[in-house]
Amino acid sequence: MNQNKKSDSSELEPKVTGIGGIFFFSDNPEKTKEWYAQHLGLKVNQWGSSFEFRNANRPDEINYLQWSPFQKGSEYFDPSKKGFMINYRVQNIEALIKKLKADGVQVLDEIASYDYGKFAHIMDAEGNKIELWEPVDHVFTAMGGETTK
C-alpha cells in the first residue's frame, strides 16, 4: 500500500519528513526581519517569514517552513540553553511520541492540537529543544498572505 496516499496519519510510519521551522534568538527581532527583507528579499510577517515549497510526494500541495527570530532570552526555547530551535515536520506524531518515550527520550509536554497542526517538544542528546510539528498545510494556504518563494 502506498503510504503517501493515506489520509489517516495514524496509519503512517512515525518519523520526521522535513524541516518545519528555524527559530533563533535575536537582540531585536523586528530589525532582524527588516534587514532580511531589505537585503535578502524575505517576505516578512509578524512571526518572521514563511517559506513556501512543494511536497515531493504530492506536487500540487503547498508546504511551509517558518523562519522566526525570537527576542533574546525568550522562554519558548526552555529548558534548552541554546540560541536556536529547529522545528521538524513529522507524520503520525502520536506514534512518534510513544516511540520516543519508550526509547527514553525526554518528552517535554503533551501533544497540543491547533487548526494548523499538532505540536510536541523534546530534548535531543545535546540539550537542544526540538519542536515536532504534524502540519495541516492547507490551513496556511487558506490564510493567504505573502510567502518567500
Side-chain angles (χ1 to χ4, degrees), residues 57-126:
N57 297 314
R58 295 178 299 280
D60 291 338
E61 182 181 295
I62 298 171
N63 291 174
Y64 300 91
L65 179 146
Q66 185 62 39
W67 172 92
S68 296
F70 278 71
Q71 181 63 48
K72 191 173 191 175
S74 168
E75 294 179 359
Y76 192 64
F77 294 13
D78 287 353
S80 176
K81 302 298 181 205
K82 309 291 177 85
F84 69 94
M85 182 171 60
I86 298 175
N87 167 299
Y88 290 98
R89 296 171 63 91
V90 303
Q91 61 187 25
N92 196 353
I93 195 168
E94 287 87 358
L96 182 57
I97 292 296
K98 184 177 179 179
K99 176 187 180 310
L100 292 170
K101 285 179 178 179
D103 290 346
V105 173
Q106 182 181 5
V107 177
L108 299 173
D109 49 18
E110 298 297 318
I111 297 170
S113 295
Y114 302 92
D115 291 344
Y116 49 89
K118 297 176 184 177
F119 294 85
H121 299 89
I122 63 171
M123 295 294 282
D124 75 8
E126 293 288 323

